[in-house]
Amino acid sequence: QVQLVESGGGLVQPGGSMRLSCEPSLSTWSIYAMGWYRQTPGSRRELVARWADGSTATYSDFTEGRFTVSKDNARNTVDLQMSSLKPEDTAVYYCNADVSGLNDGHYSSTVGLWGQGTQVTVSS
């Protein structure tokens, strides 16, 4: 069964940039809508941005124009490009996506898959 795989997290200095990726585990599947979320210990998981194929992405106010969601068709990923990062951006980032593709040779779709999460730490 198709799963979501996240990558790109790690340690970055304040003011730096980082790109996170969300990718279906099967190359015959593709993301057509998704949200990026983040969570810190003791906090609720909060929405960062929402994206749908063919539509303009929307962003939470705290992103302050620093984040961009885009699809990379060559890599079959939907990416979250983050710049001017702040220590308060430190969190585990998750993707939640609606995907479509082939299941046992038949077209299918799955709604609301979660990635495993990736840690982003913004610190000097």
Side-chain angles (χ1 to χ4, degrees):
Q1 185 62 40
V2 65
Q3 297 176 300
L4 293 181
V5 180
E6 298 183 39
S7 61
L11 177 65
V12 63
Q13 293 183 331
S17 299
M18 180 171 286
R19 184 181 69 180
L20 307 181
S21 296
C22 185
E23 177 183 10
S25 62
L26 302 177
S27 61
T28 54
W29 289 67
S30 181
I31 299 168
Y32 63 87
M34 70 167 296
W36 282 99
Y37 296 79
R38 69 184 189 184
Q39 186 172 24
T40 57
S43 300
R44 299 180 65 183
R45 189 170 298 183
E46 63 180 348
L47 178 68
V48 176
R50 294 203 65 83
W51 171 92
D53 206 356
S55 298
T56 302
T58 59
Y59 304 88
S60 295
D61 287 343
F62 64 76
T63 65
E64 300 172 318
R66 301 174 296 125
F67 294 4
T68 301
V69 179
S70 61
K71 188 171 187 179
D72 188 331
N73 289 312
R75 297 169 54 241
N76 195 32
T77 64
V78 178
D79 302 334
L80 178 66
Q81 178 66 49
M82 304 182 291
S83 62
S84 302
L85 285 164
K86 305 175 180 180
E88 52 262 45
D89 294 319
T90 295
V92 178
Y93 284 72
Y94 298 88
C95 60
N96 179 266
D98 304 334
V99 298
S100 62
L102 295 177
N103 183 16
D104 294 326
H106 300 278
Y107 178 80
S108 187
S109 64
T110 300
V111 175
L113 289 178
W114 286 99
Q116 82 280 9
T118 184
Q119 176 72 48
V120 173
T121 302
V122 185
S123 176
S124 297

